[in-house]
Amino acid sequence: MKIKYLLLAVAMIGLTAFSNANLDETYINSSKIKSSKIQISDGEKLIAKSDCIGCHNKDKKVVGPSYVDIANKYAANDKNINYLSGKIIKGGSGVWGTLPMGAHASLTKDDAKSMVKYILSLKK
């Protein structure tokens, strides 16, 4: 069963790695707001360009926990930002279940911290 989840995660990562989504500018169209720009944080841009969406979603559990669940579990302080950015870079398992999160060794510490700051800003 673990192998199936791992293969599913790898397939999702592979599919999302070839996305051409350009998230530099986003517009909202509604009756009250007419085509106004929304600022997107650096962390959110980095997440959108990475393979994170293969296993994580903003508010729903996929393979790994949702970003909102992570934000609700950890306070936005330097200790947690350093801890979580290290987990992103090195990978790991055991906190959210037995399925391990792969390492993202190509990320810089600053980029990982930006991603974590964005995730922790989603606390409800």
Side-chain angles (χ1 to χ4, degrees):
M1 189 68 162
K2 291 179 187 178
I3 293 174
K4 287 181 183 178
Y5 283 121
L6 184 58
L7 292 175
L8 175 65
V10 169
M12 291 176 70
I13 291 167
L15 291 173
T16 59
F18 298 105
S19 173
N20 289 329
N22 182 1
L23 298 177
D24 289 339
E25 293 183 6
T26 302
Y27 294 92
I28 294 178
N29 293 315
S30 71
S31 59
K32 293 182 181 180
I33 302 173
K34 294 182 181 178
S35 296
S36 64
K37 283 187 181 179
I38 295 176
Q39 292 289 3
I40 298 177
S41 73
D42 290 338
E44 188 174 5
K45 289 177 189 176
L46 289 166
I47 288 171
K49 293 177 182 178
S50 72
D51 62 352
C52 299
I53 59 174
C55 297
H56 300 278
N57 185 292
K58 185 175 180 179
D59 51 7
K60 294 180 195 168
K61 180 183 182 342
V62 183
V63 174
S66 72
Y67 299 136
V68 171
D69 289 341
I70 296 168
N72 289 332
K73 182 171 182 151
Y74 296 98
N77 57 42
D78 287 339
K79 179 182 175 186
N80 289 334
I81 290 170
N82 287 326
Y83 169 73
L84 293 171
S85 61
K87 291 287 267 188
I88 290 171
I89 293 170
K90 295 174 188 169
S93 67
V95 177
W96 296 94
T98 57
L99 190 63
M101 180 176 75
H104 298 85
S106 63
L107 282 175
T108 66
K109 188 78 167 174
D110 288 337
D111 285 349
K113 283 184 177 184
S114 293
M115 295 165 93
V116 170
K117 287 176 184 177
Y118 163 70
I119 291 167
L120 296 181
S121 73
L122 300 173
K123 186 171 190 159
K124 288 186 178 181

